[in-house]
Amino acid sequence: VGLIVRIIDIILKHPSQPKYRKVKMSAKKIQRDIVRISGGIALLKCAGFRYPISKEPSQSARNSGLLEFPSSSSSSSSTSPTTLSTSSLESLKKFRREVFEIVSKRTKTCIPELMERARDEDLKKEKPSLERLYFAAIELRKLFSNVIAASDADGRVSMDFLSLDSGSQVFKYRLRSVPCSIDILKQMGYEEVRGYWRVVSPVVETFVAAVEDLSAEISKMRTRTPVFKATLKLVKSNPGQGPRVLVSTLLACLCRIIDDPDNMKYHKLKLSVLFRKSGGFLNGGRQILTRLGFKVDDVTETASLRHTRSGEVDLNLVELRRNDLQRSWEELNQM
């Protein structure tokens, strides 16, 4: 279905070019995704594609011949044979909308299975932590949501491709370190080309289903992240307003780092100053600093933000943890 929709999208994008209206059935991808799939050729014919001969070809000819979309629904039409008639264009758009409605209700992605497997593997580790998997799911959802946002009312993506830089912090630190993320990208049609992960002619309904599946997986993990657990301990172990003041202070510090990453004074916190604002040292205070990416030094009584091996600030991770702290605090206050 995805390949047929992509073929239709190309025709709608280039209605005056006949070469895009021909489907070579012997092509490897067509054979794999349409010819060998039960009902594949029938679905193409439902869309309006026809064999370019008056008599129905033999089975072998059907599987290796040529299907094309006629320029008009009527042979007596005055429309130029090189340009699709208005009625043909409308017919294609209607077919695409109907397919979208049906598939969007039934589309299943590989995401639930891959994410469940990744969670099971994480639990086998000596020190399990779902943070990497949780943040990878968040970044994948953002990426796929951008594909949906770039589509028009008919579900066609308005740009030739959407890409992700292989050198970006998102890919290097959030996705590449989580093997199932790469598997998900490939399943969604992404390919690595010259330093970029690109998806060409994405099927929007599949991305809608993927975003829904990722949202469900994120929801399953939201109370199991290190930041959430540390925030929960902080709230349960300290009565009064101390936890609220500390969380507010930490959120403000993280925001300053995000807004001005080159200003190193925000990367090092004095514990005495930090906890004085919250009314004294709090149980779980050091733990929440650690979970937010700070290295606590009891000798100097400071907490320094950890950097990457190359010495840079992983701003993407700082922002994700800041958002996780905000979410955790809000959810705990609603309990």
Side-chain angles (χ1 to χ4, degrees), residues 271-286:
L271 298 183
S272 58
V273 176
L274 180 66
F275 288 113
R276 186 166 61 241
K277 293 181 179 180
S278 57
F281 285 93
L282 302 177
N283 292 327
R286 282 178 168 78

Side-chain angles (χ1 to χ4, degrees), residues 44 52 113 129 132 165 185 193-194 214 251 295 307 321:
L44 263 179
E113 179 183 351
S129 171
R132 284 188 176 185
D165 188 348
L185 285 174
V193 181
R194 297 178 182 177
L214 284 167
L251 287 172
K295 181 180 179 180
H307 294 178
R321 283 174 170 163

